[in-house]
Structures are given as C-alpha cells and as structure tokens.
Amino acid sequence: MTTFLARHADVLVTMDDHRREIRDGGLFIRDGFIEKVGQTAELPGIADEILDLSDHILLPGLINTHHHFYQTLTRAVPAAQNANLFNWLKTLYPIWGRMTPEDIRVSTQTALAELALSGCTAASDHLYIFPNGCRLDDEILAARETGVRIHASRGSMSLGESKGGLPPDYVVEDEKSILKDSQRLIESYHDPNPGAFTQIVLAPCSPFSVTPDLMRQSAALAREYGVHLHTHLAETQDEEAFCVEKFGHRPVAFMELLDWVGPDVWFAHSVYVSSQEIELYRQTGCGVAHCPTSNMRLASGIAPLVEMLTAGVKVGLGVDGSASNDGSHMLGEARQAMLLARLKAALGGASRSAENAPPILTARQALEIATRGSAAVLGRDDLGSLEPGKCADFFAVNLNQLDFAGALHDPVAALLFCAPVQANYTVVGGKFVVKDGQFVTLDIPRLVNQHNAASKRLLNP
Ligand SMILES: [Zn+2]
C-alpha cells in the first residue's frame, strides 16, 4: 500500500457534480485512487509521498479524445501546410507509408510527453496505417513506458483508390486481417476495469477509406467484447458530398444505417451536423471529440459546440493531428475551444447585447469538456473529476509566474484566458509523470533526437 498527499493548493478544481473549487485544497491518495478530497486541514497529515502545492492550481487531468500520435513525425510538411483535408491526406499518405515499428514507438512517446506536459493524463489515439510490419502493439508498449493512460484505437483503411476510396492501394489492408487483428488486440490488451491504463477501441478510419461492410463487422465485433467504436465523421463538406454521392446519405444517416450509433460510439469532429443530427446524437448517446485547432488548421469549418452541449450531447476535447494542429497542448486546445465557440456565436449574427444572444462558452465550461466531458465520451466513470474513488489523475500549475501576472483574482479562468503554459506536475494513478516541470519517465533530449532523425528519413527517402 502506498499513500500520496497533495496539499496546500491555492485552489483545487474538483469538477465534481457541484463543481466545487476548494481553497487551500488537497487530495489524499491510496494505491492510485483518491481516498479524500478537501481543505488541507481536513486531510491526513502524513503519507509516503507529500507534495506541497502552495502557489499552485490543481485540476483533474485533462483527457484527449482524438489524436494520431504518428503524425508528430510529419508536422508542418511544406506541401501539406496549406492544403484542405483530402489534398493534405494525399500528400501525406506516401510519407506515412514509409514508417517502421520504431517510428511508431518514437512518435507515441513524443506525443504523450507533449500531452503530459500540458496537463494530460489519458489520451485516445487513432492509428490506422500499418506499413512495414507496424502494429498497434508498438504504440501500446511505448505508451506503457510513459505512465500515461491510453485508449489505443485499432484504426483501418480498406477502400483503396482502385475501389473508389481516397488512400493509395498500397496503404490499405484486407478486411479479414483487420478484423482478426482487432480481435487479437482486444484479447491481448483491453482492460475493462477501473483504473485501466490500456483500453482498445475499434476505429475504421472514415467513410471515404473503408467499406460499409467493414464498418458493420467492426461494430459487431466491438459489441461482442464491450469495447468502444470511433471514427472521423462530418469533418468537411467534401466528406459530406462524398457520402451523399457514393452512399446516398449524409454522414450521420449513413452511420445510423451501419449500426454505428450508441453510447459506445464517438465521432471526431462533427463540424457539419444539423440540429436533427445533433438530436440523434443525444437520443442515442453518441459522443463527439471536438478538435477546434485541426478544424481551423485545415479550414474545415466550425463545429456547433454550444448547440451540441445545449442539446445534451457528450462532448470531449481532442488535439487531433499532429500533422493538422501541429501540437499536442491540451490546455491550449481548451483555450481554442473557448475562443472558437465565441467566434461562431458572433458569426451567427446575433448582437451580444440582444436578449436572445446565444450563450458563449466560458473558461470553466471549456475545462469541463476537457475533463468530465472527455471521460464520458471515452466511457470512463473512473476519470474526469477529483472525487473519492476516482483515479488519482491530476495536474498542477504554478500561478506565480509571468504569464498569470495580474490574473490571480480568478486563477481557474486565468488558465485559459492567459497564454497556455506547461504543467509543473502531472500525476497519473498516484505516480509522477511530470515533476518540477520535467517529464520524468523518459529522456526527452534523446527522444527529440531520435524523433527528428526519423522524421528526416521519412521525408527524404
Ligand atoms: Zn483525426
């Protein structure tokens, strides 16, 4: 049994059902789970490990619901800098087609280190291209060395160019092997228990890169094992046109037809969804990974975030990318969500002073999406808030720094209104991943060298 006490935080943001914010707050942790939350005076005075958080704000760990770790190898590629989604993909597919298992390892660790340094304690990743012997195992094993929780999505592409899909034929797989490998991964790695560090998700890439049959069979397999389903949906107008032309349905209706709706399904993006489609999400319990930076970066559009939240849809936050962001900063992403929702409100045309002005997203709501919202989307009732019984996943930021000067009357809002900073401490399951501002589980300078060498090799074959 090991105990951990974090105490004297200037403010502790619980994100519990009452959204309590506790001054001089702290947590008492036993074996990776929270036993007590409250003011420091109410907590035990001794523990195996004690962390003094005077001058710090303490929050639940941020949870990333959509990412492609391997794309950290192809950030800011010149030919893909100014392209729309389909052309961006066509530029990058051949480069990704050169990846090796070692590239998957290096990129997974790079992305997770970046995420953890921005307050992230759990991340979902969507790996859908497996060239040269790459396997999802490469990512899972690399993630385990970092100490960050992952939901590893077994992505797939089976609809090559010759069959009317977008990806070139040499990066697609045959559907039998995709399903066989999906089953193997679930049986080998999926942990359904509270406190799980690894969960498996089935995630055919998008309507324009897999067949309807693979979507249906993946859904049946996922439900047989009780794992979640994930895909890209309603990201761009091009995708909508593709679905209407090829399948005779808009993307959401197409998913309904394929049995791809339910509380075990979440979609990345959902930029082009109507109010009826939002209502279908609510009724069926589908979740959304909102990825504001990627949607801006690729000029895809602005998702109706506030409309989805108002309707009662589960929404989490995703950095997406990393070739369409091109960073993995979760606090920065929450800030983007807040700002972009405000821009959308303005573009709606209603005056801010009008009585019927649409509500705008607050800093606290944006943080809620990145914590409670993301946990709900991933189906994790053991994550997302700081309460007794939940996983001891949190991060703390030093408020006594230049970036927050003049904003300390509301440190919670300052985290998003001021420029995004890095976490001083990130703790997952009661263990440090970031300590004193440093990532502790890996040698970062060595990792950056390996990562840059891999990236150079991929771009200059
Ligand atoms: Zn994506």
Side-chain angles (χ1 to χ4, degrees):
M1 287 240 245
T2 55
T3 53
F4 185 123
L5 174 66
R7 65 184 180 189
H8 294 308
D10 273 19
V11 56
L12 180 153
V13 179
T14 63
M15 284 291 168
D16 66 10
D17 290 346
H18 306 289
R19 307 298 189 272
R20 285 184 306 149
E21 294 176 4
I22 302 169
R23 295 276 162 181
D24 190 14
L27 300 168
F28 184 77
I29 295 156
R30 191 183 300 273
D31 292 337
F33 291 89
I34 299 170
E35 198 168 278
K36 224 165 175 225
V37 182
Q39 287 200 304
T40 300
E42 302 161 0
L43 301 173
I46 51 165
D48 299 327
E49 175 108 46
I50 296 181
L51 175 64
D52 187 303
L53 290 174
S54 306
D55 286 337
H56 289 68
I57 179 172
L58 190 167
L59 298 104
L62 305 177
I63 302 170
N64 181 28
T65 58
H66 186 66
H67 206 309
H68 311 284
F69 295 158
Y70 72 89
Q71 293 180 11
T72 52
L73 293 159
T74 54
R75 297 200 256 213
V77 169
Q81 284 174 14
N82 308 311
N84 66 2
L85 177 68
F86 281 14
N87 290 323
W88 174 90
L89 281 168
K90 284 184 189 164
T91 304
L92 293 170
Y93 284 138
I95 303 175
W96 297 336
R98 291 194 279 272
M99 282 191 306
T100 64
E102 173 64 6
D103 297 334
I104 300 292
R105 181 188 73 79
V106 169
S107 55
T108 295
Q109 296 189 338
T110 298
L112 285 172
E114 254 192 297
L115 284 167
L117 282 161
S118 71
C120 178
T121 53
S124 174
D125 186 62
H126 190 183
L127 179 59
Y128 53 81
I129 183 165
F130 299 93
N132 310 310
C134 291
R135 302 192 309 165
L136 193 63
D137 310 57
D138 303 318
E139 170 178 316
I140 293 167
L141 299 175
R144 285 190 177 165
E145 290 175 37
T146 68
V148 179
R149 298 181 203 277
I150 64 158
H151 284 219
S153 298
R154 205 307 180 179
S156 50
M157 298 194 290
S158 64
L159 193 67
E161 254 171 338
S162 63
K163 291 183 186 153
L166 191 74
D169 287 357
Y170 63 86
V171 295
V172 306
E173 300 173 88
D174 83 85
E175 302 196 340
K176 246 193 181 150
S177 1
I178 291 170
L179 291 162
K180 208 171 149 208
D181 194 47
S182 301
Q183 184 176 11
R184 177 189 69 81
L185 288 159
I186 298 170
E187 289 177 354
S188 312
Y189 296 107
H190 183 70
D191 178 359
N193 300 305
F197 270 81
T198 309
Q199 291 207 346
I200 300 293
V201 174
L202 299 191
C205 189
S206 63
F208 50 83
S209 56
V210 299
T211 66
D213 195 45
L214 182 67
M215 296 291 294
R216 268 199 201 93
Q217 293 202 54
S218 296
L221 182 63
R223 283 170 183 144
E224 192 185 323
Y225 282 90
V227 304
H228 270 50
L229 289 160
H230 178 50
T231 194
H232 294 94
L233 200 78
E235 180 175 0
T236 63
Q237 284 170 311
D238 288 349
E239 176 201 322
E240 187 178 297
F242 181 94
C243 287
V244 170
E245 189 185 318
K246 197 165 165 71
F247 308 119
H249 297 282
R250 288 168 54 81
V252 175
F254 185 48
M255 288 298 114
E256 199 182 4
L257 199 72
L258 297 174
D259 205 16
W260 259 73
V261 289
D264 54 352
V265 178
W266 90 99
F267 300 121
H269 305 299
S270 294
V271 172
Y272 293 96
V273 284
S274 66
S275 36
Q276 291 90 332
E277 289 163 344
I278 290 174
E279 180 52 21
L280 180 86
Y281 282 2
R282 186 197 65 78
Q283 278 172 9
T284 55
C286 290
V288 170
H290 178 50
C291 307
T293 303
S294 172
N295 297 156
M296 288 189 270
R297 157 74 156 85
L298 294 170
S300 301
I302 309 179
L305 173 62
V306 173
E307 291 85 334
M308 290 193 279
L309 292 173
T310 308
V313 174
K314 292 182 299 197
V315 182
L317 190 69
V319 297
D320 198 8
S322 270
S324 64
N325 183 322
D326 301 16
S328 312
H329 200 297
M330 278 294 286
L331 262 186
E333 199 65 29
R335 182 173 201 255
Q336 298 276 53
M338 177 180 79
L339 298 177
L340 189 60
R342 290 172 179 218
L343 177 61
K344 183 157 178 68
L347 294 174
S351 153
R352 294 278 350 123
S353 53
E355 253 180 48
N356 60 349
I360 59 174
L361 199 79
T362 67
R364 284 173 172 79
Q365 281 177 303
L367 285 169
E368 188 174 319
I369 293 168
T371 52
R372 289 177 67 102
S374 289
V377 163
L378 296 185
R380 294 293 298 257
D381 55 14
D382 56 338
L383 306 179
S385 60
L386 300 176
E387 298 176 73
K390 301 243 177 179
C391 293
D393 292 10
F394 65 88
F395 75 107
V397 169
N398 188 348
L399 294 165
N400 189 19
Q401 57 178 307
L402 186 62
D403 310 72
F404 298 127
L408 297 185
H409 27 263
D410 187 353
V412 183
L415 267 188
L416 292 210
F417 278 97
C418 302
V421 298
Q422 294 207 322
N424 298 87
Y425 299 97
T426 304
V427 170
V428 186
K431 294 208 169 81
F432 285 108
V433 174
V434 174
K435 192 174 186 181
D436 297 321
Q438 302 297 316
F439 192 76
V440 293
T441 51
L442 296 170
D443 177 347
I444 295 296
R446 184 159 170 262
L447 183 63
V448 171
N449 277 338
Q450 291 173 337
H451 193 92
N452 281 331
S455 173
K456 197 170 169 188
R457 195 194 77 248
L458 289 174
L459 266 83
N460 308 285

